[in-house]
Amino acid sequence: MRTVRRTIYAVAVIMAGTLAISGCGKKAAAISQKKMPPLEVGVVTVRPQPVALTTELPGRISAYLVAEVRPQAVATRGFHGPATSFHPKAYLFSSAGGSVAVAFVGSNNLSASGIAGGIEWAVGAGQVAPLLIAFERLGSDPRSQPLTHELLADYRQRWRPAAHTAGVVPEPPATPPAPWPVQREALTALEQTRLGGFRRGLAVMATGLGKTWLAAFDTARPQFRKVLFVAHREEILRQSLGVFRRVQPAGDLGLYYGGGKQPDARVLFASIQTLASNLHLFAPGRFDYVVIDEFHHAAARSYRRVIDHFQPEFLLGLTATPNRMDGADLLALCSDNLVYECPLTEGIERGDLSPFRYFGIADDVDYTPIPWRGGRFDPQALTEAAGTQERAQHALDVWRDTGGGRTLAPFTPLRRRRTGHCE
């Protein structure tokens, strides 16, 4: 038997009659399977970068669509031929030049149960070239079309659940999430501030109280037709989109960042870097509601450009840490309108957050010789100075001395040269 475990392939091709993918990353065993409505998504080409496909669906049943298209990392096409059955179920892997290739054909789904733990059968194909040629033909077939945000939006509008087979009980609809009491209070405060004539406001809520959920609930009001959600990291954008999907399951949600752009989505999740560089593409009145996440960054020039450019019906700033060390007046950017505030101590007193104890640990690292460049320590020099066995052992010893229970341990060099942990 020939093993291909150590071979690094440049191109991976996944073909299936219906796409059952909720994630695609370095650990395939972590991928969870989602049931799909009969959208004939047939061809997925994965290029060298690790990629992640998220899935979603409008409606009241547990079904999902590919919600995000990342053309720089994944070329995705849908095969639509009502008179043609499409169910190849094949996995093709090849080098960039095609000199090395391997293929598997079988029942395996790209899911956790399909790859690890489930009983699935696949056969390795000895002749891979005919399969690769057939795949290239599918790519040029007129029935094969790129899977775009617009195609999916149209599909959401046209899709209707199929009639249930006699004797089959349909899956009950998922219970929609409801705001927590603290979020209800904030929602009421937001409605009152708009009735009072304010068009901007700041909500200060400790981490864990659901600032993103608050924005998802508030923007779901029917008067807000176009919504912009701005954050500084792709990870935050994706997590926020997932929260909004829970609250607005049939919503038209899209991403706007370096790896993918769906500017026509009703709710657009945009990175500040990409948005600030493309403001000329958006009219000032394009959005009815603008959410600025992590508003403590809003004093930066890129944020100021975005805030000054758009003229929404309402702008909401969200932060857990409103006080900046440089003294920047964030509240002034929100018309001096602090709509709602629930700090950490109040969240704990309400029972919404877990109480904790914080311990500071003296740090014996000498930071003086470490170069300071661009507002931070040189990463390589910092790692060499701080990433030592002795430093780690010291932190472990202190942790054991304080009880050694459930612990969250942030190790961050501070001006006072301390690290800390809380439990």
Side-chain angles (χ1 to χ4, degrees), residues 219 221-227 265-267 286 288-289:
T219 58
R221 301 178 194 267
Q223 67 263 37
F224 302 124
R225 295 168 297 175
K226 286 280 190 178
V227 177
R266 175 192 167 267
V267 183
R286 172 73 170 273
D288 304 301
Y289 199 127

Side-chain angles (χ1 to χ4, degrees), residues 30-345:
I31 298 170
S32 60
Q33 180 178 354
K34 303 295 185 182
K35 298 180 180 179
M36 297 285 294
L39 172 64
E40 294 165 305
V41 176
V43 183
V44 179
T45 303
V46 181
R47 299 216 170 100
Q49 304 94 325
V51 297
L53 301 180
T54 50
T55 53
E56 59 171 321
L57 172 83
R60 300 179 60 187
I61 64 172
S62 176
Y64 290 79
L65 286 177
V66 177
E68 183 188 342
V69 179
R70 301 178 64 185
Q72 294 182 352
V74 185
T76 313
R77 301 182 70 87
F79 184 92
H80 181 66
T84 304
S85 173
F86 189 91
H87 201 242
K89 283 219 171 180
Y91 301 86
L92 316 179
F93 302 88
S94 65
S95 61
S99 59
V100 179
V102 66
F104 300 93
V105 180
S107 66
N108 304 68
N109 287 319
L110 193 60
S111 63
S113 61
I115 293 177
I119 300 175
E120 301 276 356
W121 288 65
V123 177
Q127 298 293 325
V128 183
L131 296 176
L132 292 174
I133 293 172
F135 169 73
E136 295 297 336
R137 288 176 179 169
L138 283 173
S140 59
D141 192 299
R143 294 169 294 181
S144 171
Q145 300 178 0
L147 193 63
T148 64
H149 184 77
E150 291 73 23
L151 185 149
L152 292 175
D154 178 68
Y155 179 75
R156 291 188 193 96
Q157 297 296 324
R158 294 186 294 105
W159 181 78
R160 297 293 182 273
H164 296 289
T165 304
V168 176
V169 179
E171 183 178 338
T175 303
W180 291 355
V182 66
Q183 294 161 359
R184 286 199 298 268
E185 292 177 9
L187 287 169
T188 299
L190 284 168
E191 185 67 10
Q192 292 298 319
T193 203
R194 285 190 289 264
L195 292 175
F198 284 95
R199 299 184 61 176
R200 293 184 178 186
L202 178 65
V204 177
M205 300 172 68
T207 301
L209 292 178
K211 295 183 294 295
T212 305
W213 287 92
L214 171 65
F217 287 121
D218 201 43
T219 58
R221 301 178 194 267
Q223 67 263 37
F224 302 124
R225 295 168 297 175
K226 286 280 190 178
V227 177
L228 174 65
F229 187 100
V230 181
H232 69 292
R233 295 208 316 269
E234 177 188 341
E235 177 186 6
I236 295 177
L237 295 175
R238 295 182 182 279
Q239 291 175 348
S240 300
L241 188 148
V243 170
F244 272 66
R245 176 59 61 204
R246 292 281 308 279
V247 176
Q248 306 175 31
D252 178 19
L253 313 181
L255 290 165
Y256 193 81
Y257 70 107
K261 299 179 179 66
Q262 297 121 28
D264 296 326
R266 175 192 167 267
V267 183
L268 187 64
F269 297 82
S271 75
I272 185 62
Q273 298 86 352
T274 304
L275 185 62
S277 301
N278 293 277
L279 285 176
H280 62 283
L281 301 177
F282 297 90
R286 172 73 170 273
F287 299 101
D288 304 301
Y289 199 127
V290 173
V291 181
I292 307 293
D293 195 28
E294 306 286 352
F295 199 74
H296 46 273
H297 295 298
R301 182 179 303 176
S302 56
Y303 279 87
R304 293 295 297 269
R305 288 184 58 207
V306 169
I307 293 172
D308 293 341
H309 177 78
F310 289 110
Q311 299 175 8
E313 291 298 317
F314 192 72
L315 182 146
L316 174 62
L318 297 173
T319 185
T321 54
N323 300 318
R324 289 175 55 97
M325 295 187 67
D326 60 7
D329 189 358
L330 298 180
L331 196 57
L333 299 176
C334 289
S335 303
D336 291 314
N337 181 27
L338 180 58
V339 179
Y340 185 78
E341 182 175 21
C342 185
L344 177 64
T345 53

